[in-house]
Amino acid sequence: MNCGYKFTTYENLYSTHNVKNITFYNLESYHLLANMIKTELNINNFNLIKDKNHLNITTPSVQIINVFENNNKIDIIQNNILTKFQLTLKIKAKIIISSTTHTVNIKINRYYFTNHSMPLTRDSEIKNLRKEIYQQAAQQLVCKLLNIIINAK
């Protein structure tokens, strides 16, 4: 059975474009998402250029506009012992290439169960899930960036 998510390497995509430098803007530069995106950009051989004043219009840029994380209780199971939750991450970003602006929306959902008799396990599980969805969001953002670069030719 397939979950529908494909793990890909971007080597083939990267070899077909010539963009080497990119600027990345995020209001919270040490946020988990910002760190994950910077890592993904580095993995895909982009050089991060610092441009605090947004003056360099020739270098493509990625800007995070909005990040929304929500943790909703979905269901209570087995006499209030198990609870099902939905962790949602929504990201809105702006990618500017050749003075053309592209808006990118990413949404990731994860479901998990908690056992109220083991709170430390629950906290550890939620922390790992958050890292996982932020990593997936960063991968999706860089993949969309590469697709926009390739289609802009």
Side-chain angles (χ1 to χ4, degrees), residues 15-26:
S15 64
T16 61
H17 73 85
N18 59 1
V19 175
K20 303 282 186 234
N21 298 323
I22 196 159
T23 56
F24 173 66
Y25 306 110
N26 191 24

Side-chain angles (χ1 to χ4, degrees), residues 6-142:
K6 283 184 153 181
F7 292 101
T8 60
T9 59
Y10 304 117
E11 291 175 13
N12 293 339
L13 286 174
Y14 179 73
S15 64
T16 61
H17 73 85
N18 59 1
V19 175
K20 303 282 186 234
N21 298 323
I22 196 159
T23 56
F24 173 66
Y25 306 110
N26 191 24
L27 295 176
E28 300 175 33
S29 59
Y30 297 105
H31 189 273
L32 179 61
L33 178 64
N35 291 333
M36 297 280 189
I37 291 171
K38 289 176 189 176
T39 301
E40 283 299 313
L41 289 169
N42 285 325
I43 288 171
N44 287 280
N45 299 320
F46 285 101
N47 298 322
L48 290 171
I49 305 297
K50 292 184 181 183
D51 182 18
K52 293 181 181 181
N53 298 322
H54 308 272
L55 297 175
N56 190 350
I57 59 171
T58 59
T59 303
S61 67
V62 176
Q63 181 178 6
I64 302 300
I65 298 169
N66 191 5
V67 177
F68 175 75
E69 183 181 324
N70 196 9
N71 199 5
N72 289 326
K73 187 184 296 185
I74 303 292
D75 197 8
I76 299 175
I77 306 167
Q78 295 182 354
N79 300 328
N80 292 333
I81 295 174
L82 285 176
T83 306
K84 182 179 180 181
F85 286 91
Q86 177 185 19
L87 184 60
T88 302
L89 177 65
K90 294 180 184 178
I91 298 168
K92 185 175 185 179
K94 183 169 58 171
I95 298 173
I96 302 171
I97 297 176
S98 303
S99 65
T100 303
T101 302
H102 305 270
T103 303
V104 174
N105 294 301
I106 296 171
K107 181 179 178 182
I108 299 171
N109 291 314
R110 286 289 185 276
Y111 297 92
Y112 65 95
F113 292 93
T114 62
N115 186 337
H116 297 290
S117 63
M118 296 184 276
L120 290 177
T121 304
R122 184 185 81 203
D123 292 343
S124 174
E125 179 183 351
I126 292 170
K127 185 177 179 179
N128 288 336
L129 275 174
R130 284 187 76 234
K131 280 178 132 176
E132 181 184 312
I133 65 172
Y134 278 86
Q135 178 68 38
Q136 185 179 355
Q139 289 172 345
Q140 285 185 19
L141 182 64
V142 171

